Amino acid sequence: MRTLLYTPANTPSMMIQAQVYGADAVIFDLEDAIAPDKKLEARILLAQMFEEWDFETTELIVRINGLDTPWWKEDLIALMGKRAFTVRVPMIETLEQVTLLDRFLNDLETERDMVVGSTRIHILIETPKGVVNAYSLAGASKRITALGFGAEDYCRATGIIRKGPPYTLDYVRSSLVNAAASYGLECHDCAWGFLEDRTGLEEEARRSRSLGFCGKSVIHPDQIEIVNRVFSPTEDEINWAERILSSLSGDVHTVSGQMIDAPVEAQARRILELHSIYTKQEE
Amino acid sequence: MISRTIPDTYKGYGDVRPTMNQTKSHTAQVGDLLDEDPIIDSLRKKGRTPIRYEELSQIIRASGLADGMRISFHHHLRLGDRVLQMVLEELMKMGFKDLTLCLSSVMGEACKAVLQAVETGVISMIETTGMKPPLSTAVQQATLGIPVVIRSHGGRARALMQEDISIQVAFIAASACDRRGNITGAVGPNRFGSIGYAIPDALRSEYVVVITDHEEESIPVSIPYQAIDGLLRVPSIGAKEGLSGGSIRRTKRPVEKLIARRAAEVIIASDLVRAEFSFQVGSGGISLEVSQILAEYLKKRDIKCSFISGGITEPLVKMHEEGLVERLYDVQSFDDAAAVSLSENKEHIEMSSSLYADPTNESCLAHRLDIMVLSATEVDLDFNVNSFTGTDGRILGALGGAPDTAAGARLTVVVLPSFRGRIPSICSSVRTVCTPGGTVDVVVTERGIAVNPLREDILSCLKTAGIPTLTMGELLEKVLGITGKPMSIARHAQLQGIVEYRDGTVIDTF
């Protein structure tokens, strides 16, 4: 997924439009976007929407409240079984937290006649401790399909300036990409909160892609086009991949001076596969 | 199909001819673009000599105005207009009755003044392109009960030029005059730019009154002194800060930006964006956004547009200054940047509403447009467009030049969100037909794009470009799936007004 659009789960006018902007997934947010006294109404609204709304092919994600809050269980109780969605859980630091969530989902799935293990999880790593434990966390449950990076809390905890030099977050980003890749998971970069700074968004997205992220969370529809573009294979990459694959049938072992071996072939196939997926989505 | 029940006659208006199904009036550009509106020369030939007056009452007395006659005004001062109010108050004081008020449009404070003039019996009939509350609200209350005729800008110009209607006194606001009495709207402390809607009035009225608040030695001439009978200097014609009020701004709404992006994709896919093409964007943030996407496209492809016409805004001026557009034909300047450009740039040309959109004017620029982007309140299964009332019948907007440019442009694209609040904008039959579906080619919403089945060529272009389309029926079904099917709202028992099509037939009532 290249773009994951955050949408407050208590604003119907935004919720019903979230699927039209071309994001690869919509994240309905029950956490930071919803004030404590609005949590209940947001849950009710989202549950009703899950029952009645035609999301067509949109990939649905719900960011539930943190496992250290009194709300996360109620979030899942309200929504589980209404329709398939991925649970995005914030501020994950320990294996115990993943186990706690995993068991709770097991119980709910059993109680509601769902296939046990069918609910997927994205874990958000937003703290120094979470980064250190990223490798173990990524493998802590078969439900986990992606790791996500939350930069704001991480910067607050470490003293890194969020809009400082671009390299300042390279270490954490590389750590998360490596942990995710160890288990074949997707890795999603953090949202860019500076809405007017489109150049900054593009620069950050390019850096994330170069570090191995497959996509980025976005907080406004205006950010989707930029992020989709940055995380889609470029024309040069597609041409390169096609040249590599077309050379396989002959005796040629190099293309433009590059040696072709199994990893190069796999990379070329992946580029064309992603290009095909994104082109179909955009149609 | 337009399919409306139209009365045989209408009070104060006379016999009514219903509009039949309409098709395109596009004519390709032949020869060079005009450097000056030919009507200006006709104005010079009127041979009048303006007389200066000290008091408004004196000039009104000199005009020969009598009860039951028609007076006209233009709305280039927009929300800042104080001239209409000033004149109506004087007419009330002087005891005039039963006048017909013929406006290019009316908005802001001036609406209150018109309402007061109606309530006191000074005005007994209104002809306009649009109106706003409290006037519109009162018109729709059965108690007011005066006849109202809604015309497009081109339709109004045609009615004047063809002498379907005769004006006794045209009151024209000018931001500056010179010693001889030539006038303009392009310079002076309350400059508002083009005076285009008032030019046919200046030509066809029995008596032309100019009200200005500024005199300069040398000014650009919009209306020559030979067309003016009386001139009055007042302390102020308006409030400058209101001049761009109610005008268009680039949208920040994500849905509107999405619609604009899709509309631009449709336009580009249509293969009409090539050297020397022309276009116009209507009022509304989506339309303006489309123009800005097109500007980027023109830059990248090094394509130059021959002209943009209609209402001119700062972003369109910028396109011209960047060399993307050869000429701007301006009937109304929506902001100060456009007014300044009009006074300083010889390729920014003032045009009358007749040159702009009059279907009987052989040089009509609306008929030479390649692309027109229009906003709307509703569109129906037959592609009929409503831009005047809401689904509930309330007057919300104005006809503007929509029926004229839709008919004239080679490609007419209507842009609108598929629903507003919980009310669908796509419907089986629009509340008020303003622009007939036979002149509309593509409807672009955030939920899908529908192409008029009459335009197989466009459909084929979009297919080639990989742009998915829906039938209007499919789009309607999709929208109703979101909003539910609204209950229909009963129409007022009493006829509130008629909507005249640009050719003088009546297309609908409200």
Side-chain angles (χ1 to χ4, degrees):
Chain A
M1 283 183 270
R2 297 164 299 177
T3 39
L4 303 91
L5 174 64
Y6 275 110
T7 304
N10 67 344
T11 314
S13 59
M14 291 169 122
M15 293 162 76
I16 58 175
Q17 298 289 23
Q19 72 199 85
V20 302
Y21 300 116
D24 291 344
V26 172
I27 305 171
F28 289 110
D29 190 13
L30 291 168
E31 194 212 11
D32 285 352
I34 311 297
D37 62 339
K38 304 285 182 194
K39 300 279 186 197
L40 177 62
E41 66 191 47
R43 265 182 225 125
I44 293 169
L45 183 64
L46 189 56
Q48 193 172 346
M49 195 176 185
F50 272 13
E51 280 185 324
E52 294 177 6
W53 193 255
D54 178 10
F55 287 97
E56 297 175 351
T57 56
T58 308
E59 189 88 28
L60 299 179
I61 301 168
V62 176
R63 180 163 77 169
I64 60 170
N65 286 283
L67 303 184
D68 57 342
T69 71
W71 301 303
W72 69 275
K73 286 184 181 172
E74 290 303 319
D75 293 342
L76 293 170
I77 289 167
L79 299 172
M80 289 280 288
K82 304 284 185 194
R83 69 185 307 134
F85 65 94
T86 298
V87 175
R88 180 167 258 227
V89 55
M91 302 293 270
I92 292 296
E93 293 185 315
T94 65
L95 288 175
E96 291 74 22
Q97 286 175 310
V98 178
T99 307
L100 176 68
L101 176 62
D102 201 22
R103 284 185 185 152
F104 192 74
L105 289 174
N106 277 346
D107 292 346
L108 270 180
E109 284 169 343
T110 307
E111 182 188 310
R112 297 187 181 184
D113 290 332
M114 297 167 67
V115 177
V116 174
S118 61
T119 306
R120 292 172 179 175
I121 299 174
H122 287 181
I123 57 172
L124 281 174
I125 309 277
E126 307 180 72
T127 63
K129 192 173 173 183
V131 174
V132 169
N133 292 335
Y135 173 74
S136 341
L137 293 172
S141 165
K142 285 187 177 165
R143 295 176 183 275
I144 298 174
T145 55
L147 299 191
F149 175 41
E152 302 306 326
D153 283 301
Y154 182 81
C155 287
R156 182 176 49 80
T158 54
I160 290 175
I161 296 165
R162 175 68 180 91
K163 227 181 166 186
Y167 56 79
T168 50
L169 290 170
D170 282 0
Y171 163 72
V172 58
R173 285 190 166 120
S174 294
S175 303
L176 296 190
V177 167
N178 192 62
S182 303
Y183 293 93
L185 309 180
E186 287 197 351
C187 199
H188 306 137
D189 193 27
C190 55
W192 176 253
F194 311 96
L195 292 177
E196 300 297 322
D197 184 1
R198 294 163 66 84
T199 308
L201 169 66
E202 180 152 354
E203 283 168 1
E204 182 167 274
R206 287 194 183 287
R207 196 164 188 96
S208 305
R209 190 187 174 205
S210 72
L211 291 169
F213 284 89
C214 68
K216 191 169 177 60
S217 299
V218 295
I219 54 170
H220 192 281
D222 282 357
Q223 298 180 326
I224 293 170
E225 187 272 327
I226 293 173
V227 176
N228 274 351
R229 177 162 42 80
V230 170
F231 285 96
S232 298
T234 63
E235 215 171 294
D236 283 349
E237 288 168 338
I238 294 162
N239 291 338
W240 171 83
E242 282 169 348
R243 280 204 312 275
I244 297 289
L245 294 188
S246 62
S247 73
L248 292 176
S249 52
D251 295 331
V252 184
H253 297 292
T254 62
V255 167
S256 305
Q258 182 182 10
M259 192 185 77
I260 307 164
D261 54 9
V264 171
E265 183 192 334
Q267 201 180 353
R269 289 196 190 283
R270 180 65 181 150
I271 285 170
L272 294 181
E273 185 192 2
L274 286 175
H275 174 60
S276 165
I277 291 169
Y278 298 149
T279 305
K280 272 185 199 147
Q281 266 174 222
E282 278 156 18
E283 280 169 5
Chain B
M1 294 289 286
I2 299 171
S3 309
R4 298 286 148 150
T5 306
I6 306 291
D8 295 332
T9 60
Y10 183 52
K11 59 184 174 180
Y13 180 85
D15 291 343
V16 169
R17 288 179 299 132
T19 306
M20 307 310 284
N21 290 333
Q22 293 288 327
T23 53
K24 292 280 191 182
S25 313
H26 181 77
T27 46
Q29 174 70 33
V30 178
D32 294 337
L33 293 169
L34 290 168
D35 294 332
E36 184 185 82
D37 190 328
I39 295 182
I40 306 298
D41 200 42
S42 306
L43 292 173
R44 288 188 196 106
K45 289 177 183 153
K46 280 184 85 177
R48 309 281 170 89
T49 306
I51 298 169
R52 289 175 185 256
Y53 291 86
E54 296 297 317
E55 299 289 338
L56 183 55
S57 58
Q58 291 172 341
I59 212 166
I60 291 170
R61 267 193 287 277
S63 72
L65 184 67
D67 291 350
M69 288 179 166
R70 181 182 276 108
I71 55 174
S72 83
F73 293 84
H74 60 116
H75 74 291
H76 294 97
L77 281 151
R78 304 181 63 79
L79 297 178
D81 186 7
R82 298 295 175 265
V83 169
L84 176 56
Q85 186 174 351
M86 186 189 307
V87 173
L88 290 179
E89 280 172 5
E90 193 60 42
L91 293 172
M92 270 185 262
K93 269 194 232 160
M94 294 174 79
F96 281 95
K97 293 285 175 201
D98 292 331
L99 299 173
T100 292
L101 183 61
C102 179
L103 305 151
S104 58
S105 197
V106 59
M107 57 185 70
E109 288 291 308
C111 290
K112 274 189 205 164
V114 174
L115 178 56
Q116 199 186 354
V118 171
E119 286 169 343
T120 53
V122 177
I123 302 298
S124 60
M125 180 167 174
I126 297 174
E127 299 165 324
T128 182
T129 290
M131 60 175 75
K132 293 282 183 186
L135 178 62
S136 56
T137 319
V139 159
Q140 297 199 281
Q141 286 165 0
T143 50
L144 205 59
I146 62 161
V148 175
V149 179
I150 303 298
R151 292 191 176 98
S152 68
H153 290 314
R156 181 178 186 274
R158 183 209 53 78
L160 283 166
M161 298 303 286
Q162 298 292 307
E163 302 186 64
D164 277 8
I165 55 175
S166 57
I167 293 172
Q168 178 61 28
V169 188
F171 291 92
I172 299 177
S175 62
C177 70
D178 65 12
R179 196 171 42 83
R180 300 188 82 173
N182 294 303
I183 63 161
T184 184
V187 297
N190 284 315
R191 64 187 171 217
F192 52 81
S194 173
I195 208 163
Y197 297 129
I199 293 174
D201 303 40
L203 184 69
R204 289 293 188 233
S205 299
E206 289 296 318
Y207 194 93
V208 176
V209 172
V210 165
I211 298 175
T212 186
D213 56 6
H214 182 69
E215 187 164 334
E216 272 188 35
E217 191 68 22
S218 174
I219 59 165
V221 178
S222 301
I223 297 179
Y225 73 91
Q226 296 97 326
I228 295 161
D229 299 287
L231 202 148
L232 178 73
R233 180 104 181 252
V234 295
S236 173
I237 57 168
K240 192 161 189 291
E241 60 276 14
L243 300 186
S244 60
S247 70
I248 53 182
R249 293 280 177 270
R250 279 194 83 166
T251 182
K252 289 194 167 182
R253 294 179 184 163
V255 167
E256 294 189 345
K257 284 184 173 183
L258 174 67
I259 295 167
R261 210 162 56 239
R262 289 194 170 162
E265 285 165 6
V266 166
I267 290 167
I268 290 164
S270 73
D271 204 26
L272 290 173
V273 185
R274 11 177 159 159
E276 300 299 304
F277 82 108
S278 59
F279 80 94
Q280 184 178 333
V281 291
S283 60
I286 304 176
S287 303
L288 186 58
E289 187 69 18
V290 174
S291 73
Q292 298 311 287
I293 298 170
L294 282 182
E296 289 304 315
Y297 181 80
L298 299 186
K299 269 185 222 167
K300 277 186 197 156
R301 302 293 172 110
D302 198 22
I303 297 172
K304 192 166 183 175
C305 166
S306 96
F307 72 88
I308 293 177
S309 65
I312 301 298
T313 57
E314 185 172 8
L316 301 180
V317 169
K318 205 173 156 214
M319 284 178 73
H320 170 62
E321 288 170 351
E322 288 175 346
L324 302 173
V325 182
E326 195 179 328
R327 278 213 175 147
L328 302 172
Y329 283 99
D330 189 342
V331 72
Q332 180 180 17
S333 313
F334 277 110
D335 50 40
D336 195 49
V340 170
S341 167
L342 183 68
S343 69
E344 293 177 351
N345 186 339
K346 70 180 175 55
E347 300 294 340
H348 186 161
I349 294 165
E350 191 162 17
M351 67 171 168
S352 67
S353 46
S354 176
L355 177 60
Y356 166 41
D358 171 359
T360 60
N361 185 327
E362 62 179 20
S363 302
C364 175
L365 283 174
H367 292 185
R368 282 159 175 75
L369 283 170
D370 287 309
I371 296 155
M372 177 67 205
V373 182
L374 289 173
S375 307
T377 55
E378 296 178 291
V379 185
D380 69 21
L381 287 174
D382 295 315
F383 288 77
N384 294 314
V385 171
N386 178 11
S387 53
F388 179 58
T389 63
T391 49
D392 56 359
R394 266 185 314 142
I395 297 171
L396 295 179
L399 252 58
D404 309 304
T405 49
R410 200 183 292 227
L411 171 68
T412 300
V413 179
V414 173
V415 288
L416 77 171
S418 64
F419 56 95
R420 297 179 174 94
R422 289 178 295 170
I423 309 295
S425 313
I426 308 296
C427 56
S428 52
S429 177
V430 291
R431 178 75 178 212
T432 313
V433 181
C434 300
T435 301
T439 64
V440 172
D441 304 309
V442 186
V443 173
V444 178
T445 75
E446 82 289 359
R447 302 269 162 186
I449 295 165
V451 179
N452 193 325
L454 296 169
R455 295 303 304 266
E456 284 177 18
D457 54 332
I458 302 292
L459 205 53
S460 159
C461 287
L462 300 195
K463 200 173 174 187
T464 305
I467 297 174
T469 58
L470 301 169
T471 66
M472 200 54 126
E474 288 166 341
L475 184 57
L476 175 64
E477 201 177 323
K478 199 168 181 180
V479 177
L480 293 184
I482 296 167
T483 61
K485 192 175 178 188
M487 289 166 64
S488 58
I489 300 170
R491 284 174 176 265
H492 280 270
Q494 190 178 333
L495 192 63
Q496 297 158 351
I498 58 171
V499 180
E500 196 183 87
Y501 190 56
R502 60 197 306 248
D503 62 359
T505 60
V506 172
I507 193 165
D508 207 348
T509 61
F510 59 97

